[in-house]
Amino acid sequence: MKDLQLVIPTLFGLEGLAADELRRLGLEEVRAENGRVFCAAAPVDIPRANLNLRTGERVLLVLGSFHAADFEALFEGTRALPWERFLPKDGAFPVKGYCLNSALHAVPACQSIVNKAVARRLGDHYGLETLPETGVRYQIQFSIFKDQATLMLDTTGPGLYKRGYRAVGVAAPLRETLAAAMVMLSRYHGKDPFCDPFCGSGTIPIEAALIAKNQAPGLNRTFAAQKWRWLDSRCWLEAAEEAMDREYHGAYDIWGGDVSPAAIEIARDNAAKAGVEDVVRFDVADAGVFRRTEPYGRIVTNPPYGERMLEKQAAEGLYRTFGQAVKALPPGWRQFILSSHTEFERTFGQTASKKRKLYNGMIKCDLFQYL
């Protein structure tokens, strides 16, 4: 019975991809908004979403939503929700959240009100004046947007982009969820040669390998809700077995290159941690002399932007030499290049077939698509 509601926050621009992922998992009533996706769910769908989502940031369980233009409304609305269904009497329930375009705008005060309302509800239910909060953590999140409050429980813990394979990074790392989105937008499914000539710590090729193998990105990590008493541990085992049954096993041509030997060593180590070292290879290589002779393939890459790693002039020189290199590729090669540089197309030497706005952290970028 799907009597629960989940909300999946995403990076801006990835809502549609996350919605499609949820539909492929068989979830219903999927609805995308700016920066988040809602769906109906059963308890078993909580582990399925956490294990399988590539482009979502976390999986939040919605307790309820109500109008809250003042502290009294926030207190009473929060207290009216069925917290005892999910939180045991010893559960720890820290609160965090945000307010936007609302009469209530002091986040610490709202945190305190929500905490007191939940404590009152649980105290009344369990017959306790003081709750011990010595048990498992149940992280409460709230959002108040245009005076509409939504109360949620975070089932994920550390964000879904923390796959568990990247213990060490290099300068200006790309979030795993965004890397996966770039691979998905390139429509790569494992058949074509796949290259990232600016691979850094290997995030894009590793995400491509996970996609090629159809390997669930969350299999190598743990989640907050695994310790929750009301969610049967068998749900997690069944979700993991289901995910592993869907994996593919084949030969793939996935390559990453970088001028930094240290970055390549990190990329190889990360690939081993992700369990894809057998299907992705990394080499010290200069993107300015990139060459491939196969009749078709995909380049998906995130070159330095200028404001983060190189001076703009150096970045433009890099784009220019890389653009000259890819012009020599056979016509079947497609390129998907993420950059925030406003003059990227001019310096690269080609006008993109399509552009899609994405965000790398707080940096607004375009995914330049050469089809």
Side-chain angles (χ1 to χ4, degrees), residues 62-325:
V62 179
L63 270 289
S65 187
F66 52 87
H67 187 76
D70 55 43
F71 288 131
E72 183 179 1
L74 180 61
F75 182 91
E76 294 300 336
T78 301
R79 189 174 69 160
L81 299 176
W83 297 100
E84 67 279 359
R85 177 182 174 185
F86 304 103
L87 274 68
K89 64 182 179 181
D90 65 343
F93 50 95
V95 179
K96 62 182 178 181
Y98 68 88
C99 307
L100 191 62
N101 298 336
S102 300
L104 295 176
H105 56 271
V107 171
C110 292
Q111 287 175 297
S112 179
I113 293 293
V114 169
N115 186 274
K116 289 176 182 176
V118 175
R120 176 76 64 84
R121 172 86 183 204
L122 293 176
D124 290 346
H125 178 78
Y126 292 117
L128 296 171
E129 287 189 14
T130 302
L131 294 163
E133 294 196 57
T134 54
V136 170
R137 182 186 181 99
Y138 294 76
Q139 177 68 59
I140 296 173
Q141 288 205 17
F142 69 84
S143 68
I144 305 177
F145 179 61
K146 293 184 177 178
D147 296 332
Q148 188 72 10
T150 303
L151 275 295
M152 301 157 285
L153 288 173
D154 180 4
T155 74
T156 301
L160 289 177
Y161 68 91
K162 295 185 177 179
R163 315 287 207 215
Y165 64 73
R166 191 168 68 182
V168 182
V170 294
L174 186 73
R175 185 168 284 198
E176 290 86 334
T177 45
L178 180 55
M182 291 168 62
V183 176
M184 293 164 73
L185 289 168
S186 79
R187 298 180 181 273
Y188 174 71
H189 300 294
K191 295 182 180 179
D192 303 346
F194 183 98
C195 297
D196 177 4
F198 300 93
C199 73
S201 58
T203 308
I204 292 175
I206 289 170
E207 291 297 322
L210 293 173
I211 288 170
K213 295 179 68 173
N214 202 34
Q215 181 176 320
L219 281 174
N220 293 329
R221 56 160 291 176
T222 59
F223 302 93
Q226 284 180 266
K227 298 179 180 179
W228 293 0
R229 295 177 193 171
W230 66 271
L231 187 54
D232 195 322
S233 60
R234 287 177 298 180
C235 292
W236 294 94
L237 293 173
E238 290 168 3
E241 289 173 359
E242 176 192 49
M244 289 187 286
D245 287 344
R246 290 180 175 178
E247 287 184 13
Y248 306 140
H249 301 280
Y252 307 101
D253 183 358
I254 303 171
W255 176 84
D258 200 279
V259 293
S260 167
I264 291 300
E265 284 303 309
I266 292 170
R268 289 170 178 161
D269 187 55
N270 289 344
K273 289 188 176 78
V276 297
E277 72 276 16
D278 58 329
V279 296
V280 61
R281 59 191 174 87
F282 296 100
D283 295 306
V284 177
D286 183 351
V289 293
F290 178 78
R291 296 285 186 275
R292 294 293 289 241
T293 58
E294 298 91 340
Y296 56 84
R298 278 173 176 74
I299 293 172
V300 181
T301 193
N302 174 46
Y305 298 160
E307 67 258 42
R308 300 185 307 160
M309 291 169 62
L310 298 173
E311 295 298 329
K312 277 196 171 183
Q313 190 174 7
E316 289 179 358
L318 188 62
Y319 298 160
R320 194 172 292 112
T321 56
F322 180 53
Q324 292 168 354

